[in-house]
Amino acid sequence: MISRTQVGIVGAGPAGLMLGHLLHLAGIDSVILERQREEHVIERVRAGVLEQGTVDLMTDAGVGGRLAREGMRHRGLYVAFNRRRHHIDLAELTGGRTITIYGQNEVVRDLIAARRATGRPLHCDVSDVRLDDLTSTQPRIHFLDRGGTPRTLTCDFIAGCDGFHGVTRPSIPAPHLQAFERTYHFGWLGILASAAPSSDELVYSLHERGFALFSMRSAQVTRLYLQCAPDEDLAAWSDDRIWSELRARLSTDDGWRPNEGTITQRGVTGMRSFVVEPMRYHRVFLAGDAAHIVPPTGAKGLNLAMADVKRLASALETFYRGGSAAALDAYSDRGLRRTWRAQRFSWWMTSMLHRSESDTAFDYRRQLADLEYLVSSRAAMTSLAENYVGTPFE
Ligand code: RFL
Ligand code: PHB
């Protein structure tokens, strides 16, 4: 079966779904292909921090209703070390900009509902996705639909929104891409717990035993992370061990500690920094994690993905309206500027807050000095705040 569309979108994460929705609003048709089942995509627990640019994009695109009702707006955050919490007033330092806590899976749930309401195609559970004719003006995507029927999609453009392990980036001939990568010798063990958040804002903590992060999803659900080995065996972590480690790394001398409750979800994530240049090959465009990965410490991944697809949708709209390809031609360079800025920030937050096996006592003292400086200098706090809340989307 052969069909055609204007934009073939590979991947139904936040990038692919938002791109499809923005194109729909511009009257451009698209087909979204996703290799996982729809329930899996909706239930995958990941990011939680939305920059104002992401919130505005959701709102302007008409998919921000539940986000406005259920998202938790935070004006600041805490940094903890030496058993003390220090407040950083993000809003005051950035002329009123804030962040919103709303789970990535909720963003995805809202975007899937919006897609279904448009009646435009979203094929989940597809397999064997392959791309060819990438140098032609009609690149193609081949796949098996959920019933196993082979299908071909002829496209004007292909958007690779298929994440770091997707098929689009490896389909581009290697000499055309340059990759920049850094891996870290640690990961995060993350949990969701049925416990009311004991702090109204996030707490990023450096402890001698490693990093820990206190976050939340709702008035009843706490989200917590512990630095661990990248290949940490979850089976070695009983609930008691998780809570005792979280208590050790997060509790502060003012008596604050996370509330505890039933652990409803747990997982281990490795960490990397990765950028590919350029983000385009002929009529194939890479967006989101397919093009770049940041360690989660700066909470930038989802927001970068949203900034990419906003730029891409607007460039495609310009192209279809008047035939100018200038914005498409600028897509990669503009995205790379934003990406490298987020890379620098995420690397900096990560290295300031994590302990490495190769670290010496000198390194730990240096990290503490970095943190002391951060919380005592308005200039240093402003630098963190500006980057954390994110620059406005183009
Ligand atoms: P996704 O979400 O990985 O979606 C890609 C989709 O493509 C599908 N796919 C394919 N489909 C068809 N054919 C193929 N061959 C395919 N191969 C893959 C996949 O199944 C998937 O559905 O990428 P996208 O859309 O670019 O979105 C990026 C974000 O998911 C990611 O950057 C964030 O989750 C990163 N991140 C955070 N970002 C933030 O902005 N703020 C945060 O607070 C934050 N915290 C986090 C995070 C990521 C984490 N993990 C688990 C890596 C916390 C964690 C723990
Ligand atoms: C989350 O709530 O999942 C979260 C918050 C901040 C981060 C990463 C993840 O930096």
Side-chain angles (χ1 to χ4, degrees):
M1 272 200 282
I2 300 181
S3 48
R4 58 156 283 113
T5 186
Q6 289 175 295
V7 184
I9 300 176
V10 189
L17 290 164
M18 180 55 99
L19 178 64
H21 190 64
L22 295 172
L23 293 175
H24 161 74
L25 295 176
I28 298 167
D29 60 67
S30 65
V31 174
I32 306 181
L33 304 177
E34 166 59 50
R35 78 168 160 199
Q36 301 283 356
R37 286 179 306 110
E38 181 169 326
E39 308 80 66
H40 176 90
V41 174
I42 291 177
E43 279 157 23
R44 215 162 30 189
V45 178
R46 284 183 156 190
V49 176
L50 309 188
E51 293 177 5
Q52 192 58 45
T54 297
V55 173
D56 292 346
L57 183 62
M58 297 269 296
T59 309
D60 295 346
V63 288
R66 205 161 61 90
L67 166 62
R69 289 191 303 279
E70 297 176 19
M72 296 181 282
R73 179 169 272 216
H74 286 193
R75 296 177 51 86
L77 55 76
Y78 293 91
V79 170
F81 56 98
N82 283 339
R83 296 188 60 88
R84 289 189 58 198
R85 276 192 302 161
H86 304 261
H87 190 244
I88 298 187
D89 191 334
L90 300 170
E92 197 258 329
L93 291 162
T94 60
R97 276 146 69 200
T98 56
I99 52 152
T100 300
I101 307 300
Y102 189 67
Q104 173 171 330
N105 58 313
E106 307 300 340
V107 171
V108 165
R109 188 190 301 275
D110 295 343
L111 288 169
I112 288 184
R115 180 75 181 180
R116 295 294 181 209
T118 65
R120 294 194 189 266
L122 160 58
H123 300 288
C124 292
D125 212 1
V126 305
S127 53
D128 204 13
V129 177
R130 286 174 299 113
L131 280 56
D132 73 6
D133 265 354
L134 298 190
T135 55
S136 85
T137 54
Q138 295 281 283
R140 291 184 300 176
I141 309 176
H142 308 277
F143 63 101
L144 301 180
D145 67 18
R146 59 186 302 191
T149 306
R151 296 175 63 155
T152 294
L153 194 58
T154 305
C155 314
D156 295 343
F157 296 97
I158 294 176
C161 301
D162 46 350
F164 183 70
H165 300 286
V167 69
T168 310
R169 196 183 62 248
S171 304
I172 299 173
H176 294 275
L177 296 181
Q178 190 177 5
F180 301 84
E181 182 159 22
R182 182 196 172 102
T183 51
Y184 301 85
H185 301 291
F186 43 80
W188 281 11
L189 191 167
I191 64 162
L192 279 179
S194 306
S198 59
S199 160
D200 53 350
E201 291 171 348
L202 271 55
V203 184
Y204 286 84
S205 175
L206 172 67
H207 186 273
E208 229 168 336
R209 301 171 65 89
F211 171 75
L213 170 61
F214 169 93
S215 180
M216 63 196 74
R217 284 294 178 273
S218 70
Q220 298 82 34
V221 177
T222 301
R223 174 88 168 136
L224 296 145
Y225 296 96
L226 281 171
Q227 177 186 346
C228 62
D231 54 354
E232 190 78 40
D233 178 13
L234 264 181
W237 287 83
S238 65
D239 292 11
D240 281 349
R241 183 175 173 208
I242 292 176
W243 286 118
S244 111
E245 198 61 32
L246 283 164
R247 273 195 305 273
R249 296 191 198 179
L250 283 167
S251 302
T252 45
D253 285 339
D254 57 5
W256 180 78
R257 56 186 250 189
N259 287 335
E260 298 173 24
T262 309
I263 299 176
T264 56
Q265 197 271 349
R266 67 191 79 206
V268 170
T269 323
M271 266 190 217
R272 70 175 86 231
S273 300
F274 175 84
V275 180
V276 79
E277 296 185 359
M279 297 168 69
R280 171 192 191 169
Y281 178 68
H282 296 271
R283 284 173 165 246
V284 179
F285 291 83
L286 299 173
D289 279 15
H292 39 66
I293 297 283
V294 284
T297 329
K300 288 284 159 249
L302 169 61
N303 297 295
L304 276 177
M306 290 297 194
D308 281 348
V309 296
K310 181 180 182 197
R311 221 172 46 253
L312 182 55
S314 146
L316 288 166
E317 188 179 354
T318 306
F319 176 82
Y320 280 113
R321 285 248 171 99
S324 165
L328 285 173
D329 292 342
Y331 168 79
S332 176
D333 285 351
R334 289 192 180 145
L336 286 170
R337 271 203 296 280
R338 188 177 191 92
T339 300
W340 277 111
R341 182 173 169 155
Q343 289 290 352
R344 184 209 67 82
F345 176 66
S346 305
W347 165 84
W348 172 72
M349 285 281 279
T350 303
S351 24
M352 181 171 63
L353 289 165
H354 290 72
R355 304 223 52 206
S356 277
E357 263 167 32
S358 57
D359 279 1
T360 59
F362 177 92
D363 294 306
Y364 186 49
R365 289 287 190 280
R366 180 186 49 72
Q367 285 175 302
L368 293 174
D370 226 347
L371 286 160
E372 280 292 352
Y373 173 60
L374 171 66
V375 300
S376 57
S377 154
R378 189 175 169 90
M381 274 190 281
T382 305
S383 167
L384 179 145
E386 271 176 3
N387 284 284
Y388 195 82
V389 300
T391 46
F393 290 10
E394 286 170 43

